[in-house]
Amino acid sequence: CFIPDKHVVFCPEQLLRVILSHVHYMPDHWQGAANRYETRDEFAQLFQYKAVFILEELLSPIITPFILIFCLRRKSLEIIDFFRNFTVEVVGVGDTCSFAQMDVRQHGHPAVSDA
């Protein structure tokens, strides 16, 4: 069961295509580069192991308060001002960030929104 067949040929390009057919995402620079370390590293960054994901989820409630207290304390007034200035009431939804409405006239670049 754990002993691999010695006649099986390892083809990373074919294995990557099988995996990506399920996730429906493949950057152009991965095409023909399944055997490269850069492709493996990018893939591992996008689709991390479940154990790492669970560990991050378990540690985040413990680590987040320390980050908020020690690193973001100086920025607290700016964060509160951001929420105060960019929170809008949407009927049927409630309070949301105004950027989530994708209002190009209000938040877009003037050179692009004038066209």
Side-chain angles (χ1 to χ4, degrees):
C1 181
F2 293 111
I3 300 173
D5 186 10
K6 62 181 177 182
H7 300 294
V8 173
V9 177
F10 178 70
C11 182
E13 193 69 37
Q14 184 180 11
L15 292 173
L16 186 63
R17 285 186 198 278
V18 170
I19 292 169
L20 297 177
S21 69
H22 294 286
V23 296
H24 304 288
Y25 174 74
M26 181 172 177
D28 293 335
H29 61 277
W30 286 6
Q31 191 75 27
N35 59 337
R36 297 179 61 199
Y37 288 114
E38 293 85 10
T39 306
R40 183 201 63 193
D41 293 341
E42 288 179 23
F43 186 86
Q45 186 177 10
L46 288 173
F47 306 103
Q48 54 184 245
Y49 291 112
K50 283 195 183 244
V52 174
F53 176 73
I54 291 171
L55 185 66
E56 285 179 358
E57 289 294 317
L58 290 174
L59 291 178
S60 65
I62 299 167
I63 295 173
T64 302
F66 291 106
I67 293 172
L68 291 173
I69 291 170
F70 296 113
C71 298
L72 294 178
R73 179 181 285 181
R74 288 171 259 127
K75 299 286 185 178
S76 62
L77 291 177
E78 293 177 37
I79 293 170
I80 292 170
D81 286 341
F82 176 84
F83 284 122
R84 188 179 299 130
N85 294 330
F86 294 106
T87 300
V88 293
E89 173 71 26
V90 177
V91 178
V93 177
D95 291 335
T96 60
C97 180
S98 61
F99 291 104
Q101 293 180 318
M102 303 291 183
D103 187 2
V104 178
R105 289 187 199 119
Q106 183 179 359
H107 298 297
H109 193 274
V112 176
S113 62
D114 289 340

